[in-house]
Amino acid sequence: MTQQSSDTSLEQFAQVLKQLIEAVTVLAGQEEQMAQAAALSQHHLISGFLNQEQAQLLKLRGLEQKRLRLASLMGWEDLTFQQILEQAEAEQVSLLSPLFTDLNRQIKRLLSARDSADKAIRLRMRELDAAIGAMQGRNPDDVEFSRKNSPSHFQNKYV
């Protein structure tokens, strides 16, 4: 790879990282809003948040595919961000390190928001199931709704 194409690929890679940071930040905000809506029993808002979340997840998947393609062009295929920093030249590290740090911070925020939203929604589902059960004459303690065995689809595989 020539120096010019390497520089262009690095710039494109950095640009995709910035777009990923923006997309994850938006997604984290949506999750935080969904958690708040669930906590405040504003169930009518949750459907709208889920639709927005799906659109943002599609965008995120597309950006991730672009990031993987560019990483491959740079010789960083299947490497974590830490491994990339260990292999990169000093000028690349100075460009990429703050982006990786920011992306990692936003991913942690997203995971925390997702966990909060899941907890609030599970609580509301238990309350709803208990209310329905009470109307049907069931014991409210026999609530079976749970997602504790269902893994979250958000994972931080970059660090």
Side-chain angles (χ1 to χ4, degrees), residues 19-147:
Q19 292 171 340
L20 276 168
I21 292 165
E22 181 182 325
V24 172
T25 301
V26 169
L27 197 53
Q30 291 170 339
E31 287 292 328
E32 289 165 348
Q33 289 176 329
M34 190 166 21
Q36 185 176 18
L40 297 173
S41 296
Q42 296 175 332
H43 310 292
H44 61 283
L45 298 177
I46 292 176
S47 177
F49 292 134
L50 290 174
N51 290 338
Q52 291 173 7
E53 179 184 60
Q54 287 176 350
Q56 199 64 23
L57 284 171
L58 287 174
K59 179 179 180 180
L60 199 58
R61 284 186 189 117
L63 288 169
E64 177 60 4
Q65 289 179 358
K66 191 172 183 179
R67 183 197 68 81
L68 290 172
R69 184 180 50 77
L70 289 168
S72 181
L73 287 174
M74 300 286 297
W76 297 331
E77 189 171 10
D78 297 326
L79 297 182
T80 65
F81 290 159
Q82 186 60 43
Q83 290 169 327
I84 290 172
L85 292 175
E86 290 169 3
Q87 291 185 10
E89 298 172 14
E91 65 212 30
Q92 293 172 326
V93 171
S94 66
L95 173 65
L96 297 177
S97 184
L99 295 173
F100 290 162
T101 299
D102 197 18
L103 182 56
N104 186 46
R105 185 175 61 249
Q106 292 304 322
I107 289 171
K108 287 179 180 178
R109 177 181 165 217
L110 172 60
L111 293 172
S112 176
R114 177 68 180 179
D115 185 52
S116 295
D118 281 349
K119 286 178 183 176
I121 290 170
R122 278 195 307 270
L123 175 64
R124 295 299 169 228
M125 292 300 292
R126 278 191 218 104
E127 290 173 352
L128 181 60
D129 194 43
I132 291 170
M135 290 184 338
Q136 295 174 343
R138 287 187 290 142
N139 182 350
D141 295 329
D142 293 338
V143 175
E144 293 186 26
F145 180 81
S146 174
R147 285 184 53 200

